[in-house]
Amino acid sequence: MAIPDGGKVTACVFCDIVARRAPAWIVYEDATTLAFLDIFPFTRGHQLVIPKRHGARLTDLPFDDQMALIRSLDEVCRRSERLSADYNVALNAGARAGQIVFHVHFHVIPRYGEANPFRSTSRAPLAEAEARSLVAELSRT
Ligand code: AMP
Ligand code: ZN
């Protein structure tokens, strides 16, 4: 979807996922939020939780959308515990903080005892068979 941005038009891949114009391995959805698998996971089961309404960062969202996002984050964290009791939750706000997709999202990253998964070299693209098995595991209520 094209987001008007001070006269410029910028594409937003996460808005495209919300609108089903781009594919995603969706694991959770409600009226205002969505969660799906990261296509370059740091670890098995790395998920992203987003508001359906576009905003670059958490502080751009209306209060109700922020609260809805946190509720969904809680649900995704609970489901992540099916994979591992331990996980990291991260939010990158701004390019200098490592934000690449400027549609606010929480990362939920299961941890299995690996030393440091937060390196670009440890990121292989999500394989389809793995994605299918994770969707089955994480999308059930
Ligand atoms: P950030 O650095 O916080 O902006 O992270 C953006 C995340 O989105 C990265 O972990 C990417 O691998 C992930 N990502 C980018 N495009 C897609 C997509 N189309 N589907 C799923 N994950 C994506
Ligand atoms: Zn967007």
Side-chain angles (χ1 to χ4, degrees):
M1 176 179 157
I3 308 294
D5 174 17
K8 279 187 305 179
V9 171
T10 45
C12 176
V13 64
F14 288 0
C15 282
D16 284 345
I17 289 173
V18 169
R20 305 301 204 268
R21 283 188 296 269
W25 298 101
I26 292 172
V27 291
Y28 175 81
E29 179 167 24
D30 62 28
T32 50
T33 69
L34 193 66
F36 50 90
L37 301 177
D38 194 298
I39 39 162
F40 284 98
F42 281 119
T43 65
R44 180 175 188 270
H46 179 173
Q47 298 172 79
L48 302 174
V49 191
I50 70 166
K52 288 185 172 176
R53 185 198 295 258
H54 182 86
R57 46 177 76 202
L58 190 64
T59 49
D60 292 332
L61 298 179
F63 179 76
D64 287 351
D65 285 19
Q66 292 175 331
M67 293 304 106
L69 186 59
I70 299 297
R71 258 200 318 272
S72 297
L73 174 64
D74 172 74
E75 178 63 28
V76 168
C77 287
R78 286 168 194 275
R79 294 184 187 190
S80 182
E81 289 172 4
R82 296 172 187 169
L83 306 177
S84 171
D86 300 351
Y87 51 88
N88 295 104
V89 172
L91 183 152
N92 300 326
R96 287 173 296 178
Q99 187 172 10
I100 291 166
V101 177
F102 290 88
H103 180 132
V104 63
H105 52 280
F106 282 105
H107 297 255
V108 178
I109 305 164
R111 299 298 301 275
Y112 305 95
E114 59 288 288
N116 178 4
F118 303 117
R119 296 196 180 94
S120 49
T121 50
S122 64
R123 303 183 82 171
L126 180 63
E128 182 170 345
E130 179 78 306
R132 286 191 192 285
S133 120
L134 284 163
V135 168
E137 216 165 348
L138 294 170
S139 62
R140 71 187 153 77
T141 50

